[in-house]
Amino acid sequence: FTSAIRSSLLQNANKGDSLRRWSINELLKLNDVNATNAEVVLQEIRTRLAIQHQRLSSFPRVEEYAKIASSSDGATLSKSLKMLLQLHENTYMLPHEIIETDYLMEGFSNRPKQMYLKQMVDDIMTRRGASVDTFADAAIASRNMEFQIPQILRKQFRTDATILQNPEPFLHSRLLIQLICEHYVSLNKGKPTGAVSIDADILDIVDDATTEAKHVADANLGIAPEVQIRSADGPFVPPPIIRSWLHHAIVEVTKNAMMSTVEKWDEQPLHQKQSLPSNILIDVSRDTDFMSIRVVDNGIGLNADRSDKAFQFAASSTQKRWDRIDEQQSYAAVRQPLGSLGVGLSLSNLMMKCFGGSVSLHNNQSETGCTATLRVNYNDDYKALN
């Protein structure tokens, strides 16, 4: 970083009040690939990256705490934060250089120039996707370290490590950066509504997501429960959705339902055991303001520990944390392993909450198992927080 670039980063980090409050409708207004919209996208990305960088920089004493803890957790935390800072600095340079050199205003109608910018935004989206694993490592190390440092320092440690103790603002902002990038790239690919899907076939989206969840379960458990999909209200007009987000959330809750169902099936005495695990029911319905997708299983249900950790970032309920190298063969076969990083459900919750929806879990009252409910808001003017 030159001093001028570092100064720019600090200045942009203080522009939080100028950020757009994005809604589905605001995204839909960004409906053309032109110089004005490209500049809006790059300015938003640059400012949000600067704010994220500042959040990461707000943990200045990490090295001191790492020395006090004198464990592998301290080294992991220090390394992870440095990697995240470097990632944000390097990624910040991409939009910064184009904005500062007036690249957009000089012949933007030139197709190769448009494709170059699209590829750059796609690159930002890819880089940001890789940050979740590293942030999860830092969050886990931070939790472990808290109990390795003297009691008198723990309160200050929690204050200094706010970004890791309360990761939701950082993760929420990351999702918005990803969404802005996805929207612009989709417009460049000829999708007139970008990342937003209007009048989507919800049952088709559910079917795609459950097929993916079954592949993951089958690769990791050796068996996948069958899924029954129904629409209790029959055909209805769906809300505008971010298809990639809804797909992700359905995969995550269905994966968890399958794991719970197979675990319950494995616990049955051999002489009582059914030949296959019980089916999972997915029910799609709507009321006045929301579309609901309920995923009902007959698995082991939620105990107190599972309930407390259900939406906690990087708090997987599986015994062995996933390692990308150790399980690279199964990872190559499916999008993700079943026992993963403990980030899927917490990110799904943030995706649904972003535009006024939600994810909830509760034990079934009349039988065993659990119900996960995804709610998607019909109000396309609902503005995401910054």
Side-chain angles (χ1 to χ4, degrees):
F1 266 18
T2 65
S3 59
I5 294 173
R6 190 166 295 280
S7 175
S8 165
L9 193 149
L10 292 173
Q11 288 175 7
N12 279 290
N14 292 318
K15 291 183 178 178
D17 293 339
S18 69
L19 289 173
R20 286 195 179 198
R21 290 283 304 280
W22 289 97
S23 65
I24 295 290
N25 260 342
E26 286 295 316
L27 282 170
L28 290 172
K29 290 176 184 176
L30 204 72
N31 60 1
D32 190 21
V33 179
N34 56 46
T36 301
N37 286 343
E39 187 165 16
V40 167
V41 167
L42 290 179
Q43 291 283 11
E44 276 282 315
I45 292 171
R46 182 173 72 161
T47 303
R48 291 178 184 277
L49 284 169
I51 293 170
Q52 293 287 74
H53 183 273
Q54 186 181 56
R55 285 174 171 148
L56 290 166
S57 302
S58 65
F59 195 1
R61 298 174 59 196
V62 60
E63 297 287 356
E64 295 176 37
Y65 289 119
K67 290 176 183 176
I68 294 171
S70 64
S71 68
S72 60
D73 292 305
T76 298
L77 179 57
S78 179
K79 178 183 177 182
S80 298
L81 287 175
K82 285 178 180 177
M83 288 173 64
L84 286 167
L85 279 167
Q86 186 175 34
L87 173 67
H88 281 76
E89 290 172 358
N90 292 341
T91 307
Y92 178 85
M93 292 294 296
L94 297 176
H96 175 79
E97 288 183 342
I98 292 180
I99 291 169
E100 295 302 317
T101 55
D102 293 327
Y103 176 89
L104 295 173
M105 301 307 168
E106 298 175 1
F108 184 78
S109 59
N110 182 288
R111 183 61 179 165
K113 187 171 285 191
Q114 292 177 11
M115 291 306 296
Y116 171 78
L117 185 57
K118 174 253 179 188
Q119 186 59 47
M120 190 206 71
V121 174
D122 202 5
D123 186 29
I124 292 172
M125 185 165 59
T126 302
R127 292 184 184 203
R128 298 290 295 157
S131 67
V132 174
D133 293 15
T134 308
F135 195 70
D137 287 336
I140 293 168
S142 173
R143 276 186 223 128
N144 294 339
M145 272 181 62
E146 183 177 343
F147 301 100
Q148 298 169 7
I149 59 179
Q151 182 91 28
I152 195 171
L153 296 176
R154 289 180 188 174
K155 183 177 180 180
Q156 185 60 47
F157 175 80
R158 286 192 293 270
T159 301
D160 289 343
T162 298
I163 188 174
L164 299 172
Q165 300 282 328
N166 178 28
E168 187 166 314
F170 182 89
L171 295 169
H172 172 81
S173 184
R174 173 195 167 275
L175 283 175
L176 284 176
I177 294 172
Q178 293 285 97
L179 177 59
I180 294 166
C181 291
E182 180 187 348
H183 186 70
Y184 186 78
V185 170
S186 297
L187 288 173
N188 272 270
K189 290 180 177 178
K191 298 179 181 178
T193 56
V196 181
S197 292
I198 307 294
D199 295 330
D201 186 336
I202 300 299
L203 294 182
D204 184 58
I205 293 173
V206 173
D207 186 61
D208 283 348
T210 54
T211 298
E212 181 173 337
K214 287 176 71 173
H215 288 162
V216 175
D218 190 55
N220 288 269
L221 302 174
I223 192 169
E226 291 299 317
V227 179
Q228 295 177 313
I229 304 170
R230 71 181 188 189
S231 177
D233 296 334
F236 60 84
V237 177
I241 61 166
I242 308 300
R243 183 176 183 129
S244 59
W245 285 8
L246 183 59
H247 177 94
H248 175 94
I250 296 170
V251 170
E252 289 302 323
V253 296
T254 306
K255 245 185 8 171
N256 290 344
M258 289 180 173
M259 183 165 59
S260 176
T261 299
V262 172
E263 188 173 342
K264 180 75 173 180
W265 180 68
D266 283 339
E267 288 177 353
Q268 294 176 353
L270 194 58
H271 66 281
Q272 296 178 353
K273 196 168 188 175
Q274 301 294 318
S275 58
L276 294 171
S278 59
N279 292 349
I280 290 167
L281 171 66
I282 299 183
D283 182 57
V284 182
S285 61
R286 72 154 294 180
D287 55 32
T288 305
D289 299 319
F290 293 91
M291 176 184 73
S292 296
I293 300 174
R294 297 169 62 248
V295 180
V296 185
D297 68 65
N298 291 306
I300 58 175
L302 293 167
N303 58 27
D305 184 59
R306 286 173 185 256
S307 296
D308 290 342
K309 292 182 177 179
F311 296 110
Q312 184 180 359
F313 180 73
S316 177
S317 61
T318 55
Q319 295 297 313
K320 181 179 181 294
R321 188 162 177 263
W322 171 61
D323 183 272
R324 189 185 300 274
I325 303 301
D326 287 349
E327 302 186 21
Q328 58 185 337
Q329 289 182 330
S330 63
Y331 184 79
V334 292
R335 185 187 71 151
Q336 58 200 319
L338 201 59
S340 58
L341 298 168
V343 302
L345 199 55
S346 57
L347 289 180
S348 298
N349 189 36
L350 285 175
M351 289 172 181
M352 294 298 100
K353 285 170 61 178
C354 189
F355 295 120
S358 63
V359 179
S360 62
L361 300 171
H362 63 83
N363 283 323
N364 301 330
Q365 293 182 348
S366 59
E367 52 190 291
T368 62
C370 173
T371 296
T373 304
L374 310 179
R375 301 183 81 219
V376 183
N377 195 358
Y378 270 88
N379 180 8
D380 49 16
D381 284 319
Y382 185 95
K383 293 184 182 297
L385 296 173
N386 283 327

